[in-house]
């Protein structure tokens, strides 16, 4: 189980070498001589700013999407690679630096990975093959959840929403390797083609691993179809999340051995479990109890093989890429090995690399300048809360109190974790991954039993991102994000407010939104909204949902707009508050006109530049089915029609495509 922060961008899997950036440090993030004049900013600011880039840029072959954030990730990855290579070249190394060098080397040693073939998974496969009872099956499912993150559910760790002491494990449905229900049940040729490619994938990896159950691939598909149906039934039943102790689970949801499943993960120490859709778990457990155990074993094995394939030889890793990469998303090439090595180090030894990255790439002056900006955005946010018409007065006082208590952490953590006791070997890739995974699971389990970890970051300093952590009431902005085009202390302030300022305000919004209402200024679970606040907020949010629904690509519009609503609210409030902060920073004086653009115009150009991005057509469907964030054009454009400053900056009038009639405009903060 892992805590999940809400991030400004979805966690991108792994990324690509950047086209070398030749821009000097003080060049603004938008070249105003290279705007797409075929689009009017009032109609499509996204295209006006990014049109020329969109025409020229290709999504790199190992990616499904590309843009501002993947370019930043590329830069960060190159820096981390240089750091590890530099460490590897030294004769004497501190033990923790030896860990990063060896973990990195174990991924790069392709020859050894190929020579080992299926050997690294033989022991686990023998255990799966030897399962004879539901209890043994449940124990393996729990063990694999801790070891390879491929168990039957998604677990997250959080505080108890009722305010009682102790941590709680929230379980959400998982269990299918394909995200789109259409792929399981669709009658058309495209769905049938996906199913047949999927069956081929399963057959290939089963054969490579020596898993020789008759019709194993068919059993996996059958079970996953049952799980999709269970999920649909749970969604239709609309029962609220329900809490159970392990003992209660055993009595009330029979079929699966919950205690055997919990033990390998340390979950038996949690006060209770919160099942997000109880109906799903009932159907899952009943099915495990009744149906052919051999089929369930093949299903769990397929999940395991899919989780570990990237760390195994070609028959596994290529089969996985050909199906989950090329066939499902249009990705043309696997992520290069060096990037996967960087990702491994960032994933499991983040805080060994962190201080080395900060020393190399991040200055004290940048940290101080970014902290000043956070302060100004917080000032503007307080003013916005005072002006928010929809909040009842007691709620407004609570919100202001929460903002006063909010901590902003900029760049890197105050203390760095160590990984003592984690054994890393340069010749044991899968062993490294599994030991590191278990090391992390045990640490999380220790938190379940109350041994906290104050101050630790959920995203490493060397990975570009930002998040809000409700239990600590803090926002985090990583060092790798505090770079051009998001932030540059040397450029005109409008550029920085339109990008980094909006990102900071977006994260602060999560302290005050429908999820933020559930914890107070000290991070304690307590709902501080009144029923009338809930109604007023939802009325406004519904207008925004309708705007997105009208503008998202056709597939799954309503569901996508509903899923993305929380992030879209945060984008709108973030943009609005950042604009207020920028205006306040001018202190009543007009901003200089630079290259023909006013300060207000530059602010919005920067916002559109922030969301520069391109998504492969094959991937867009998957994005709309799974992402919490709107695709780049809508993410950039739709909020603008609600911001009065945008109308003034570009003279937006009825008839402009981004125009929204005054009664349809949404203002939240
Ligand atoms: Zn967010």
């Amino acid at each position: 189980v892992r805590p999940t922060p809400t991030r400004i961008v979805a966690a991108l899997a792994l990324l690509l070498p950047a086209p070398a950036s030749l821009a000097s440090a003080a060049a603004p993030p938008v070249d105003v001589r290279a705007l797409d004049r075929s689009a009017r900013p009032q109609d499509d600011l996204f295209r006006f700013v990014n049109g020329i880039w969109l025409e020229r840029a290709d999504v790199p072959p190992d990616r499904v999407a590309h843009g501002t954030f993947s370019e930043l990730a590329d830069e960060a990855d190159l820096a981390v690679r240089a750091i590890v290579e530099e460490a590897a070249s030294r004769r004497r190394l501190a033990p923790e630096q030896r860990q990063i060098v060896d973990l990195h080397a174990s991924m790069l040693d392709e020859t050894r990975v190929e020579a080992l073939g299926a050997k690294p998974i033989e022991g686990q496969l023998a255990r799966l093959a030897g399962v004879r009872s539901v209890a043994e099956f449940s124990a393996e499912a729990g063990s694999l959840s801790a070891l390879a993150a491929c168990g039957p559910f998604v677990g997250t760790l959080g505080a108890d929403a009722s305010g009682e002491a102790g941590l709680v494990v929230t379980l959400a449905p998982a269990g299918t390797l394909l995200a789109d229900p259409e792929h399981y049940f669709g009658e058309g040729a495209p769905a049938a083609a996906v199913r047949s490619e999927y069956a081929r994938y399963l057959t290939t990896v089963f054969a490579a691993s020596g898993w020789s159950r008759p019709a194993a691939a068919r059993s996996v598909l059958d079970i996953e179809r049952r799980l999709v149906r269970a999920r649909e039934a749970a969604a239709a039943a609309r029962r609220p999340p329900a809490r159970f102790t392990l003992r209660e689970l055993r009595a009330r949801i029979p079929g699966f051995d919950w205690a055997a499943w919990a033990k390998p993960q340390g979950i038996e120490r949690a006060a209770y479990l919160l099942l997000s859709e109880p109906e799903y778990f009932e159907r899952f457990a009943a099915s495990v109890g009744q149906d052919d155990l051999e089929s369930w074993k093949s299903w769990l094995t397929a999940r395991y093989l899919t989780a570990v394939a990237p760390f195994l030889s070609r028959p596994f890793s290529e089969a996985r890429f050909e199906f989950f990469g090329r066939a499902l998303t249009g990705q043309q090439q696997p992520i290069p090995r060096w990037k996967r090595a960087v990702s491994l180090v960032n994933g499991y030894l983040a805080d060994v690399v962190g201080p080395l990255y900060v020393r190399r790439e991040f200055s004290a002056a940048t940290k101080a300048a970014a902290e000043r900006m956070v302060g100004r955005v917080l000032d503007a946010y307080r003013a916005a809360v005072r002006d928010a018409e929809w909040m009842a007065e007691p709620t407004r006082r609570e919100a202001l109190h929460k903002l006063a208590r909010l901590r902003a952490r900029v760049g890197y953590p105050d203390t760095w974790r160590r990984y003592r006791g984690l054994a890393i070997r340069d010749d044991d890739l899968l062993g490294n991954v599994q030991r590191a995974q278990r090391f992390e699971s045990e640490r999380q389990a220790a938190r379940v039993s109350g041994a906290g970890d104050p101050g630790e970051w959920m995203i490493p300093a060397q990975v570009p991102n930002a998040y809000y952590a409700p239990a600590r009431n803090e926002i985090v902005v990583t060092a790798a994000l505090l770079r051009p085009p998001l932030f540059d202390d040397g450029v005109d302030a409008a550029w920085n407010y339109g990008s980094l300022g909006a990102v900071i305000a977006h994260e602060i919004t999560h302290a005050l939104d429908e999820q933020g209402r559930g914890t107070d200024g000290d991070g304690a679970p307590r709902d501080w909204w009144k029923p009338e606040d809930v109604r007023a907020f939802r009325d406004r949010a519904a207008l925004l949902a309708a705007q997105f629904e009208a503008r998202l690509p056709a597939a799954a519009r309503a569901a996508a707009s509903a899923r993305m609503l929380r992030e879209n609210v945060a984008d709108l409030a973030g943009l609005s508050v950042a604009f207020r902060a920028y205006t306040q920073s001018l202190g009543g004086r007009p901003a200089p006109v630079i290259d023909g653009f006013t300060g207000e115009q530059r602010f919005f150009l920067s916002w559109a530049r922030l969301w520069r991005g391109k998504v492969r057509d094959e991937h867009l469907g998957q994005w709309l089915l799974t992402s919490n964030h709107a695709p780049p054009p809508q993410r950039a454009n739709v909020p603008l029609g609600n911001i009065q400053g945008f109308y003034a900056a570009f003279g937006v009038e009825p008839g402009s495509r981004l125009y929204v009639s005054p009664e349809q405009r949404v203002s939240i903060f």
Side-chain angles (χ1 to χ4, degrees), residues 592-607:
V593 173
I594 301 175
D595 293 331
F597 288 93
T598 66
E600 289 78 6
Q601 289 174 331
R602 289 192 297 281
F603 172 92
F604 289 109
L605 297 182
S606 182
W607 165 257

mmCIF file of all heavy atoms in Angstrom, residues 592-607:
data_model
loop_
_atom_site.group_PDB
_atom_site.id
_atom_site.type_symbol
_atom_site.label_atom_id
_atom_site.label_comp_id
_atom_site.label_asym_id
_atom_site.label_seq_id
_atom_site.Cartn_x
_atom_site.Cartn_y
_atom_site.Cartn_z
ATOM 1 N N PRO A 592 5.147 46.627 -18.157
ATOM 2 C CA PRO A 592 5.690 47.086 -19.442
ATOM 3 C C PRO A 592 5.142 46.255 -20.603
ATOM 4 O O PRO A 592 4.854 45.069 -20.438
ATOM 5 C CB PRO A 592 7.195 46.853 -19.288
ATOM 6 C CG PRO A 592 7.330 45.804 -18.230
ATOM 7 C CD PRO A 592 6.165 46.013 -17.292
ATOM 8 N N VAL A 593 4.955 46.910 -21.747
ATOM 9 C CA VAL A 593 4.652 46.166 -22.977
ATOM 10 C C VAL A 593 5.984 45.671 -23.530
ATOM 11 O O VAL A 593 6.942 46.430 -23.646
ATOM 12 C CB VAL A 593 3.937 47.087 -23.994
ATOM 13 C CG1 VAL A 593 3.778 46.377 -25.337
ATOM 14 C CG2 VAL A 593 2.581 47.518 -23.438
ATOM 15 N N ILE A 594 6.078 44.379 -23.780
ATOM 16 C CA ILE A 594 7.322 43.804 -24.309
ATOM 17 C C ILE A 594 6.992 43.080 -25.607
ATOM 18 O O ILE A 594 6.078 42.250 -25.643
ATOM 19 C CB ILE A 594 7.957 42.817 -23.301
ATOM 20 C CG1 ILE A 594 8.255 43.528 -21.966
ATOM 21 C CG2 ILE A 594 9.225 42.193 -23.874
ATOM 22 C CD1 ILE A 594 8.765 42.601 -20.867
ATOM 23 N N ASP A 595 7.699 43.419 -26.668
ATOM 24 C CA ASP A 595 7.475 42.799 -27.981
ATOM 25 C C ASP A 595 6.002 42.858 -28.382
ATOM 26 O O ASP A 595 5.481 41.913 -28.996
ATOM 27 C CB ASP A 595 7.942 41.337 -27.993
ATOM 28 C CG ASP A 595 9.457 41.228 -27.845
ATOM 29 O OD1 ASP A 595 10.162 42.166 -28.275
ATOM 30 O OD2 ASP A 595 9.931 40.222 -27.280
ATOM 31 N N GLY A 596 5.350 43.927 -27.992
ATOM 32 C CA GLY A 596 3.962 44.107 -28.430
ATOM 33 C C GLY A 596 2.933 43.445 -27.540
ATOM 34 O O GLY A 596 1.735 43.510 -27.826
ATOM 35 N N PHE A 597 3.352 42.807 -26.453
ATOM 36 C CA PHE A 597 2.388 42.148 -25.565
ATOM 37 C C PHE A 597 2.389 42.802 -24.188
ATOM 38 O O PHE A 597 3.450 43.068 -23.617
ATOM 39 C CB PHE A 597 2.695 40.653 -25.431
ATOM 40 C CG PHE A 597 2.365 39.887 -26.679
ATOM 41 C CD1 PHE A 597 3.337 39.657 -27.648
ATOM 42 C CD2 PHE A 597 1.072 39.432 -26.902
ATOM 43 C CE1 PHE A 597 3.025 38.964 -28.809
ATOM 44 C CE2 PHE A 597 0.756 38.742 -28.059
ATOM 45 C CZ PHE A 597 1.734 38.511 -29.019
ATOM 46 N N THR A 598 1.182 43.039 -23.662
ATOM 47 C CA THR A 598 1.070 43.582 -22.307
ATOM 48 C C THR A 598 1.433 42.492 -21.295
ATOM 49 O O THR A 598 1.483 41.297 -21.627
ATOM 50 C CB THR A 598 -0.370 44.032 -22.008
ATOM 51 O OG1 THR A 598 -1.216 42.873 -22.001
ATOM 52 C CG2 THR A 598 -0.871 45.038 -23.055
ATOM 53 N N GLY A 599 1.624 42.909 -20.050
ATOM 54 C CA GLY A 599 1.923 41.946 -18.995
ATOM 55 C C GLY A 599 0.817 40.925 -18.852
ATOM 56 O O GLY A 599 1.065 39.721 -18.700
ATOM 57 N N GLU A 600 -0.429 41.386 -18.907
ATOM 58 C CA GLU A 600 -1.568 40.470 -18.761
ATOM 59 C C GLU A 600 -1.577 39.461 -19.915
ATOM 60 O O GLU A 600 -1.851 38.265 -19.716
ATOM 61 C CB GLU A 600 -2.883 41.248 -18.736
ATOM 62 C CG GLU A 600 -3.116 42.054 -17.461
ATOM 63 C CD GLU A 600 -2.318 43.363 -17.415
ATOM 64 O OE1 GLU A 600 -1.662 43.719 -18.439
ATOM 65 O OE2 GLU A 600 -2.331 44.028 -16.359
ATOM 66 N N GLN A 601 -1.271 39.940 -21.106
ATOM 67 C CA GLN A 601 -1.220 39.012 -22.248
ATOM 68 C C GLN A 601 -0.103 37.982 -22.063
ATOM 69 O O GLN A 601 -0.290 36.789 -22.302
ATOM 70 C CB GLN A 601 -1.031 39.795 -23.550
ATOM 71 C CG GLN A 601 -2.279 40.585 -23.943
ATOM 72 C CD GLN A 601 -2.049 41.484 -25.143
ATOM 73 O OE1 GLN A 601 -0.929 41.947 -25.384
ATOM 74 N NE2 GLN A 601 -3.112 41.742 -25.896
ATOM 75 N N ARG A 602 1.055 38.442 -21.600
ATOM 76 C CA ARG A 602 2.157 37.491 -21.392
ATOM 77 C C ARG A 602 1.784 36.440 -20.351
ATOM 78 O O ARG A 602 2.139 35.267 -20.471
ATOM 79 C CB ARG A 602 3.436 38.220 -20.935
ATOM 80 C CG ARG A 602 4.097 39.041 -22.015
ATOM 81 C CD ARG A 602 5.500 39.492 -21.603
ATOM 82 N NE ARG A 602 5.533 40.366 -20.438
ATOM 83 C CZ ARG A 602 5.253 41.665 -20.454
ATOM 84 N NH1 ARG A 602 4.897 42.259 -21.583
ATOM 85 N NH2 ARG A 602 5.320 42.384 -19.349
ATOM 86 N N PHE A 603 1.072 36.875 -19.315
ATOM 87 C CA PHE A 603 0.626 35.925 -18.299
ATOM 88 C C PHE A 603 -0.154 34.779 -18.943
ATOM 89 O O PHE A 603 0.101 33.604 -18.688
ATOM 90 C CB PHE A 603 -0.248 36.655 -17.259
ATOM 91 C CG PHE A 603 -0.918 35.740 -16.277
ATOM 92 C CD1 PHE A 603 -0.304 35.432 -15.065
ATOM 93 C CD2 PHE A 603 -2.153 35.162 -16.558
ATOM 94 C CE1 PHE A 603 -0.916 34.575 -14.160
ATOM 95 C CE2 PHE A 603 -2.769 34.302 -15.659
ATOM 96 C CZ PHE A 603 -2.146 33.998 -14.454
ATOM 97 N N PHE A 604 -1.109 35.114 -19.821
ATOM 98 C CA PHE A 604 -1.938 34.054 -20.420
ATOM 99 C C PHE A 604 -1.168 33.257 -21.478
ATOM 100 O O PHE A 604 -1.394 32.059 -21.639
ATOM 101 C CB PHE A 604 -3.232 34.653 -20.991
ATOM 102 C CG PHE A 604 -4.177 35.102 -19.899
ATOM 103 C CD1 PHE A 604 -4.394 36.452 -19.658
ATOM 104 C CD2 PHE A 604 -4.819 34.170 -19.093
ATOM 105 C CE1 PHE A 604 -5.244 36.870 -18.636
ATOM 106 C CE2 PHE A 604 -5.667 34.574 -18.071
ATOM 107 C CZ PHE A 604 -5.881 35.934 -17.834
ATOM 108 N N LEU A 605 -0.253 33.920 -22.193
ATOM 109 C CA LEU A 605 0.577 33.164 -23.145
ATOM 110 C C LEU A 605 1.378 32.093 -22.384
ATOM 111 O O LEU A 605 1.539 30.960 -22.848
ATOM 112 C CB LEU A 605 1.560 34.090 -23.871
ATOM 113 C CG LEU A 605 0.981 35.194 -24.768
ATOM 114 C CD1 LEU A 605 2.127 35.975 -25.425
ATOM 115 C CD2 LEU A 605 0.053 34.630 -25.840
ATOM 116 N N SER A 606 1.847 32.474 -21.210
ATOM 117 C CA SER A 606 2.651 31.543 -20.419
ATOM 118 C C SER A 606 1.808 30.349 -19.959
ATOM 119 O O SER A 606 2.268 29.198 -19.964
ATOM 120 C CB SER A 606 3.227 32.288 -19.211
ATOM 121 O OG SER A 606 4.053 31.450 -18.448
ATOM 122 N N TRP A 607 0.560 30.630 -19.575
ATOM 123 C CA TRP A 607 -0.360 29.541 -19.190
ATOM 124 C C TRP A 607 -0.550 28.557 -20.340
ATOM 125 O O TRP A 607 -0.504 27.331 -20.159
ATOM 126 C CB TRP A 607 -1.699 30.151 -18.765
ATOM 127 C CG TRP A 607 -2.837 29.173 -18.674
ATOM 128 C CD1 TRP A 607 -3.839 29.016 -19.597
ATOM 129 C CD2 TRP A 607 -3.101 28.237 -17.622
ATOM 130 N NE1 TRP A 607 -4.716 28.035 -19.175
ATOM 131 C CE2 TRP A 607 -4.285 27.540 -17.969
ATOM 132 C CE3 TRP A 607 -2.455 27.915 -16.431
ATOM 133 C CZ2 TRP A 607 -4.834 26.541 -17.168
ATOM 134 C CZ3 TRP A 607 -3.005 26.918 -15.632
ATOM 135 C CH2 TRP A 607 -4.177 26.247 -16.004
#
